[in-house]
Amino acid sequence: MTATKPPGAALPPGAEAAAAADAIAIGRRRLRDAAMALPFAGLLLLASPLVLVFAVDGRVFGVPVVVAYIFLAWAALIAAARAVGRGILAAADAEARSGPGGTRPGAARRLRG
């Protein structure tokens, strides 16, 4: 039988830092997974079977529906790539600040080129 700590019990030294580092690592891993899945999402969005669903005789603001769909899917992919990229850089900055070297603001900014 394991003993459980009461809700207000103090954590052992370094446990909060370890929990924060684990949270950063999990968030960074999720962002990296999203970055790897993004090209496949683009492939699915722009695959001809899905595009053909929008090949109808209609117009959206004077533009054929299929052209509007392709443009909006392309714009959504760009916005998603930007959001994921910024998240990865923010996670790298947070990891650099919480790492053993202490506070190093902007450590990941060098990667931005």
Side-chain angles (χ1 to χ4, degrees):
M1 183 179 269
T2 60
T4 59
K5 290 186 176 186
L11 293 173
E16 288 182 18
D22 286 345
I24 291 170
I26 289 170
R28 192 169 184 191
R29 192 174 315 125
R30 284 183 181 166
L31 287 168
R32 190 175 57 232
D33 291 345
M36 289 174 49
L38 201 56
F40 296 109
L43 183 67
L44 290 175
L45 283 173
L46 298 175
S48 62
L50 187 58
V51 171
L52 290 177
V53 170
F54 294 95
V56 295
D57 289 334
R59 295 188 173 266
V60 177
F61 299 111
V63 178
V65 173
V66 69
V67 174
Y69 168 76
I70 290 172
F71 178 75
L72 289 174
W74 174 67
L77 287 170
I78 291 173
R82 181 174 189 248
V84 169
R86 284 181 170 239
I88 289 172
L89 286 175
D93 270 346
E95 189 174 14
R97 280 193 298 273
S98 68
T103 303
R104 294 183 353 218
R109 290 191 184 126
R110 289 185 293 241
L111 300 173
R112 292 185 183 153

